[in-house]
Structures are given as C-alpha cells and as structure tokens.
Amino acid sequence: MANSHHKLIILGGGPAGLTAGLYAARARMDHLLVEKGAEGGQVLLTDWIDNYPGFPDGISGFDLAEKMLAQARRFELNSMFGNVTSLDLSEPVKRLQFEDGDTLSCDSLIICSGAHPRPLGVPGEVELTGKGVSYCATCDAPFYRNMHVAVVGGGNTAVQEASHLTKFADKVTLIHRRDELRATKIVQEKAFANSKIDFIWDTTVTEIKGTEGVERIQLLNRNGETSELKVDGIFVLIGVLPNNEMLPLDILKADAGGFIPTDLETRTAVPGVMAAGDIRSKEVRQVVNAAGEGATAVLAAEQYLANLS
Ligand SMILES: Cc1cc2nc3c(=O)[nH]c(=O)nc-3n(C[C@H](O)[C@H](O)[C@H](O)COP(=O)(O)OP(=O)(O)OC[C@H]3O[C@@H](n4cnc5c(N)ncnc54)[C@H](O)[C@@H]3O)c2cc1C
C-alpha cells in the first residue's frame, strides 16, 4: 500500500471516516482509508450511545464502531493503519507523509481526523473517564437523573449544558476559575434564574476522587483554600481541541480554534479536499452529523473527480 496513488484518500477512521469509507467502497471508487489507532475514533471513549438513530435501546460505543466498520467492510473497504504526520496540498496531486517515512498520494482527500476534549489534566481524570467524568453533556446527561453533578467551565457550552443537565440532575454545581462567566448574557441569565444551578467562583478542580465511579472532587480557590465537594459526576466542558497537527492550517484557512471551515457540501478552501466530522468548523459535534458529513464528502469528492477527467 505504501507509496501508492489513489483517487480518494480518507484521513481518519472515526464515524465520519467510516461513513465516508462505506460510501466510497459502495460506489466502487479507488479509495483508501488511513487510521492511526483503532477504527471508531472518539466513539470508543464512550460507554453508551443513546442518541444515534436505529438503536432504540442504545448501543455501546465499542459495538457501534464495530458495526460501522463491518458495514464498510461488507462493501470491501480498503484501509490501512498509519500515522499521517504531514500533508502537502500545494499541488493538484495531494501527498501524505507518514511517521515511518512512507508516503501516499491522491487526487482527492477527505480529512476526518476528528477532535478531542480539552482535559483538566488533574489526578483521577483519566482513571474515571466514562465512570462519572464526562466531556459531553448532550451525550451523557440522562445518566444523571436525580443526582448531583459538577460542570467545569464558563463559556457558552458549559453554561448551556449546565442548564440542560438540570432536566435530569437534581442539582448542578458550575465551577469556574474566574469571578464571571464568558458565556453570552442571555445564556448566563437563563442559568442564574435556574434554582437547580449553584455557582462556585474563582475556583479550580485539582483532583477527582472515587473508586468505582466519581465520589468527590477537590477544589482550590483563589485564596489558596482547599475543599471537597461530593458529586456523582463531573462534566469537563472547557473546550474541544482539533486533531490538526499534521494539517497545513494556512492553506486550509483554519479558524481561530484550528478547525477547518467548509461549505455545506464539506468542500474546504483547497479544491479536491473535503473535511467532515469534528475537525470541521461548526457548533455541534456528534456521531450523527459526523456520519452525515462523511457521506456528503464522498459525493463532493465524486463530483470533483468527475470534473478532473
Ligand atoms: C467521552 C465522549 C462521549 C461522547 N458521546 C457521544 C454520544 O453519546 N453521542 C454522540 O452523538 N456523540 C458523542 N460524542 C461525540 C462523538 O464521539 C464525535 O462527535 C464523533 O466521534 C466525531 O467523529 P469523527 O469521525 O469526526 O472524529 P473522531 O471520532 O475524533 O475520529 C477521528 C479519527 O481520526 C484518526 N486520526 C487523527 N489524526 C490522525 C492522523 N494524523 N493519522 C491517522 N489517523 C488520524 C483518529 O485516530 C480517530 O480515529 C462523544 C465524545 C466523547 C469524547
């Protein structure tokens, strides 16, 4: 496979990449999907997915990833493992450079490299992820019915999600490192008016504690005082970071956060290069829209390739 040329390369094997792979394989395009880890992407980080249609009882992240892969393989998905370290998009033929020195080239490329939540970086966080530490309230809020949860953050996402969580949790404590929120005023007003939300200001979380699941979090305020708060879960909503270290951000005209803007058909600023899923510049990052964009991107690639020949 190394040093080969393809009509279409799909970079990343999360929901966006696997759906792109399904569509490309089913359309019998000359394609190759490249993934550096396990196919499934962030879906593998989540215990249970309740909001992907077609699974009325929900499905584990692992099973959903396996099913997506199996479906693409049924149509002879062509895939390989490899860590792409740089991309040259300056010529009509696009070149991918791999960690081990190999290269690949293609006429069209779909970037599906995804994103990852910005972590707090405190003890207990990694160990308790999926056991009470969550990075997605839209995904996990219903698991906290009648419980007490903490939300960390002060931007729009954190404050909106704190309000959303009150539909399920009895109590939500929003912890922010400053003395005022960054969220827009209307979002703030709604949260302040919600009797289920408490605020702890000028405070950071320094440790997450628990054995089977989250039990307590340790807090440090600006005066240097420490305290503990009993919670059943903690939502870390301090931003999402794009997996973009291998992308030429200038030529792709990345936004201030490093995400890739596209038109509605997923076309980027570079002809023949599409971006789908969490790497796209957008508001909502969910499996269902990543999958939809993967499909759209293949149709855009087909159109681009048809105009080449
Ligand atoms: C904890 C958690 C829970 C979530 N729960 C839900 C939920 O319940 N419902 C929901 O709809 N959404 C949920 N999400 C969001 C959802 O997982 C993402 O929106 C979705 O996975 C995005 O798909 P993607 O294909 O764009 O990117 P990703 O899933 O991030 O996949 C990107 C892939 O690209 C690969 N890659 C990156 N860089 C390279 C490179 N240089 N070379 C080769 N490969 C590379 C990665 O290894 C990865 O496999 C959750 C997210 C998290 C973190």
Side-chain angles (χ1 to χ4, degrees):
M1 209 83 80
N3 308 315
S4 54
H5 180 88
H6 299 270
K7 291 252 183 243
L8 170 65
I9 288 182
I10 300 160
L11 198 182
L18 287 174
T19 310
L22 166 67
Y23 273 66
R26 199 160 173 271
R28 298 268 175 260
M29 291 170 80
D30 165 28
H31 72 280
L32 176 64
L33 182 150
V34 179
E35 166 58 52
K36 70 174 176 183
E39 283 107 343
Q42 292 170 79
V43 160
L44 297 172
L45 300 176
T46 182
D47 262 5
W48 199 252
I49 298 192
D50 260 341
N51 56 1
Y52 190 75
F55 299 96
D57 301 319
I59 183 166
S60 77
F62 182 81
D63 286 348
L64 182 60
E66 277 215 322
K67 282 183 188 298
M68 285 185 170
L69 180 59
Q71 192 173 0
R73 285 209 172 129
R74 182 155 74 90
F75 297 98
E76 293 169 17
L77 173 77
N78 193 19
S79 65
M80 63 166 271
F81 287 102
N83 184 11
V84 177
T85 49
S86 70
L87 286 179
D88 180 355
L89 304 180
S90 58
E91 306 282 338
V93 171
K94 290 96 183 146
R95 291 182 199 285
L96 293 80
Q97 177 78 47
F98 287 81
E99 198 172 28
D100 60 6
D102 283 346
T103 59
L104 286 175
S105 62
C106 56
D107 297 316
S108 66
L109 174 72
I110 305 178
I111 301 169
C112 302
S113 54
H116 58 280
R118 187 193 292 275
L120 280 173
V122 299
E125 182 178 18
V126 172
E127 297 81 347
L128 292 166
T129 291
K131 297 177 188 159
V133 176
S134 171
Y135 300 89
C136 179
T138 312
C139 319
D140 295 339
F143 300 127
Y144 294 90
R145 213 171 278 278
N146 306 326
M147 297 189 199
H148 177 196
V149 296
V151 171
V152 186
N156 273 328
T157 303
V159 182
Q160 265 165 346
E161 298 294 42
S163 295
H164 173 65
L165 276 159
T166 60
K167 291 184 194 153
F168 304 93
D170 266 353
K171 185 173 170 189
V172 175
T173 302
L174 192 141
I175 300 159
H176 187 38
R177 64 191 163 133
R178 300 213 168 84
D179 61 0
E180 58 180 357
L181 301 171
R182 272 183 299 109
T184 49
K185 281 282 175 261
I186 189 150
V187 172
Q188 292 193 27
E189 281 163 17
K190 196 173 159 204
F192 289 140
N194 189 327
S195 60
K196 283 186 169 182
I197 306 180
D198 275 354
F199 295 84
I200 299 182
W201 304 105
D202 288 324
T203 297
T204 53
V205 175
T206 51
E207 189 172 348
I208 303 171
K209 298 179 178 176
T211 42
E212 296 295 300
V214 170
E215 292 163 15
R216 306 178 309 285
I217 53 178
Q218 187 165 300
L219 306 176
L220 172 68
N221 77 12
R222 189 177 276 182
N223 303 327
E225 291 156 5
T226 58
S227 59
E228 277 197 351
L229 184 69
K230 262 182 90 206
V231 289
D232 302 297
I234 174 168
F235 287 81
V236 180
L237 301 173
I238 53 174
V240 176
L241 301 173
N243 299 331
N244 66 5
E245 50 293 336
M246 63 301 184
L247 304 179
L249 298 180
D250 48 347
I251 184 169
L252 286 164
K253 301 197 187 316
D255 68 17
F259 294 94
I260 310 303
T262 74
D263 67 10
L264 278 178
E265 308 308 319
T266 73
R267 298 183 201 98
T268 70
V270 181
V273 179
M274 277 54 68
D278 279 14
I279 190 66
R280 273 189 70 224
S281 195
K282 61 177 180 178
E283 287 292 323
V284 180
R285 294 192 164 83
Q286 292 279 278
V287 178
V288 70
N289 59 346
E293 291 161 22
T296 304
V298 172
L299 302 180
E302 268 185 314
Q303 239 172 38
Y304 172 81
L305 293 168
N307 290 333
L308 271 190
S309 47

